Amino acid sequence: MIKVLPLYIKAAGFTLLLSAIGIFLSFVVGIAVSLTVYCKVKFFSVVAKIYIEVARNTPLLIQLFFLYFGFSRIGLRMEAYTCAVVGLTFLGGAYMAEAFRSGFESVDVSQKESAQSLGLNFLQVLRFVVFPQGLSVAVPAICANSLFLLKETSVVSAIALADLVYVAKDLIGLHYKTTECLILLVIFYLILLLPISIYMRKLEKKMRFASHGV
Amino acid sequence: MSILEIQNIHKSFGEHKVLNGVSLAVEKGEVIVLLGPSGSGKSTVLRCINGLEPISSGSIILDGETITAPNTKWNKIRQRMGMVFQSYELFSHKSIIENITLAPVVAQKRDIKEVTEQALKLLARVGLTEKQNAYPRQLSGGQKQRVAIIRALCMNPELMLLDEITAALDPEMTREVLDVILDLARDGMTMLIVTHEMAFAAAVADKIAFLDGGVINELSPAKEFFENPKCDRAKKFLDKFKF
């Protein structure tokens, strides 16, 4: 069993890297999409809403198949790795957008009015009041989405990427030690996720205190 | 010339008509208190002046400039009027000093040193110097409202709009807030005040504008209004405050 550990560690590294890139890009897409919806930007807000619904209501696996097999048929050939990043961002961006939007919308109208009445313009109200207050509300949802995305990377083995699941399946095929390989798989996911999960809980508490004092 | 002139403004929320032709002129240094029953449109008048509610028709003129024109840059106009709300609306994520200096620095592009100096002077004036680094949640209602007032004052506004600023406070806190306003009035600050505190209205106002049904039924000097109101509706209204 010890012999396979390096394989798992390498795969865990890949899972982590893919997740980190996916979460970061989801973050960027999420903020941009949520702002177009929140600010009711003409036309784009409608596109953004459709995107959110499509991305959130289709499984990642299907999205990946679409990108990997479907797009190559129409001549848009992407590497498996690119597909995984694009797929994760497509899905994660929509979830993050919803998290940010609900955060922004939780900011009281009266807080915005008081900022307006002090002579702040639209962007200044957004930057100095809506953003900081909304973000702190959105933190728990953003944390949950990040964990969710990390777990969702487990489907990329379907397009032949060597993540943890891929390695486990490979080893099962080679050595027929199904139970051991699966238990190792679970342990490795826990090793990846638990520290992040604990750190995020602390972060949530901190943010809550900073913004609400409780 | 009046510093603020409201000319025949109308305002509806859907079918519901709130203001049916309100006209009022405010002279520099004058304190006008808007009185009237709930739902008479007092707060709406202030919100229209501050551009928080677009008016349906009529015009509002600030220092000779029609601010209800379609191309009005409201953020610039609002820097010249200080508005204080019933529920304080301090920014919960910013300290007291940051609350006060944010708008002068960000919106008016003033030097932060100069603004901080002014903010500290104002804090001292309302006896809250030691709270400068506290957060709004650590302050009592009366303290929060005093901060909200000086936050508006730090913009060096030409006039102040006060919207039921003591409605959420107990009598003791009400007193500490109203003392600040009385002090401002003595300094010659132009103010338009909506309140339900009759004794305060009598003490601070030069004129009382009595609103009912979305129109000003009576505009009289304060003393005259309380001793001898002209319109019946105002008489009835004042009777309700006698025990």
Side-chain angles (χ1 to χ4, degrees), chain A residues 1 16 25 27 61-62 70 77 80 82 85 94 102 108 112-113 136-138 151-152 171 192 202:
Chain A
M1 235 38 230
L16 207 55
L25 291 177
F27 214 81
L61 185 62
I62 311 300
R77 214 181 174 83
T82 317
V85 170
S102 66
D108 260 336
K112 283 187 272 175
E113 280 182 350
S136 69
V137 174
K151 286 185 283 182
E152 278 296 286
L171 288 170
L192 284 187
K202 281 197 176 146

Side-chain angles (χ1 to χ4, degrees), chain A residues 110-111 113-121 124 128-129 132-133 209-213, chain B residues 47 50 52 75 78-79 81 85 89-93 102-103 106-107 109 137 151 155:
Chain A
S110 49
Q111 283 274 298
E113 280 182 350
S114 102
Q116 280 180 318
S117 76
L118 283 165
L120 271 63
N121 64 29
Q124 289 165 340
F128 293 102
V129 179
Q133 291 192 6
F209 185 80
S211 63
H212 305 283
Chain B
R47 291 175 61 83
N50 205 236
L52 293 173
N75 62 314
R78 288 181 185 127
Q79 289 168 25
M81 310 191 255
F85 300 87
E89 298 308 337
L90 298 181
F91 304 126
S92 53
H93 61 296
L102 175 71
V106 166
K109 313 266 181 251
R137 59 175 178 269
R151 181 174 70 169
M155 306 281 292

Side-chain angles (χ1 to χ4, degrees), chain B:
Chain B
M1 189 177 64
S2 313
I3 185 160
L4 180 76
E5 227 179 302
I6 305 168
Q7 292 173 346
N8 196 27
I9 58 170
H10 288 73
K11 169 75 193 170
S12 320
F13 292 103
E15 291 287 288
H16 181 55
K17 284 186 175 173
V18 184
L19 302 180
N20 296 306
V22 171
S23 300
L24 186 66
V26 186
E27 303 302 321
K28 198 165 170 47
E30 200 173 36
V31 178
I32 297 186
V33 171
L34 298 171
L35 291 180
S38 294
S40 57
K42 309 180 294 287
S43 292
T44 308
V45 171
L46 293 194
R47 291 175 61 83
C48 287
I49 296 169
N50 205 236
L52 293 173
E53 303 289 353
I55 57 172
S56 311
S57 67
S59 53
I60 299 171
I61 298 153
L62 177 68
D63 217 359
E65 184 184 346
T66 305
I67 58 175
T68 42
N71 57 353
T72 298
K73 288 222 177 333
W74 273 108
N75 62 314
K76 293 269 179 256
I77 299 296
R78 288 181 185 127
Q79 289 168 25
R80 297 160 58 189
M81 310 191 255
M83 177 132 183
V84 185
F85 300 87
Q86 176 181 337
S87 47
Y88 337 121
E89 298 308 337
L90 298 181
F91 304 126
S92 53
H93 61 296
K94 291 203 174 291
S95 70
I96 297 308
I97 192 81
E98 288 168 342
N99 258 283
I100 303 170
T101 55
L102 175 71
V105 172
V106 166
Q108 291 183 321
K109 313 266 181 251
R110 281 159 59 193
D111 177 48
I112 184 148
K113 261 196 194 153
E114 173 244 333
V115 175
T116 308
E117 224 169 84
Q118 187 186 0
L120 289 174
K121 263 187 214 155
L122 287 166
L123 271 173
R125 182 169 167 183
V126 296
L128 290 172
T129 306
E130 78 280 13
K131 297 287 185 193
Q132 54 176 297
N133 294 316
Y135 278 81
R137 59 175 178 269
Q138 297 165 308
L139 269 60
S140 72
Q143 291 172 330
K144 277 190 249 196
Q145 197 58 294
R146 280 182 279 162
V147 171
I149 293 165
I150 60 171
R151 181 174 70 169
L153 281 178
C154 206
M155 306 281 292
N156 300 320
E158 292 162 40
L159 77 159
M160 293 279 279
L161 308 169
L162 311 180
D163 189 5
E164 298 197 36
I165 58 168
T166 59
L169 300 174
D170 69 29
E172 205 174 337
M173 291 182 186
T174 298
R175 182 69 212 219
E176 65 194 36
V177 168
L178 295 184
D179 279 343
V180 174
I181 302 303
L182 283 168
D183 200 37
L184 278 181
R186 273 193 292 272
D187 281 0
M189 175 60 79
T190 313
M191 289 189 278
L192 207 52
I193 302 174
V194 169
T195 184
H196 288 290
E197 301 281 338
M198 290 304 141
F200 167 65
V204 77
D206 296 312
K207 287 182 198 158
I208 302 284
F210 180 76
L211 252 93
D212 190 31
V215 287
I216 292 181
N217 295 30
E218 177 171 350
L219 179 68
S220 309
K223 198 160 183 274
E224 210 176 297
F225 178 83
F226 284 106
E227 283 170 6
N228 190 19
K230 279 185 231 126
C231 72
D232 282 344
R233 192 65 194 81
K235 270 179 206 148
K236 273 186 200 148
F237 177 76
L238 285 176
D239 279 343
K240 285 192 187 135
F241 288 90
K242 288 181 190 137
F243 287 96

Side-chain angles (χ1 to χ4, degrees), chain A residues 52-65:
Chain A
I52 289 172
E53 292 311 319
V54 170
R56 295 209 319 158
N57 293 308
T58 48
L60 180 59
L61 185 62
I62 311 300
Q63 293 170 6
L64 286 181
F65 281 164

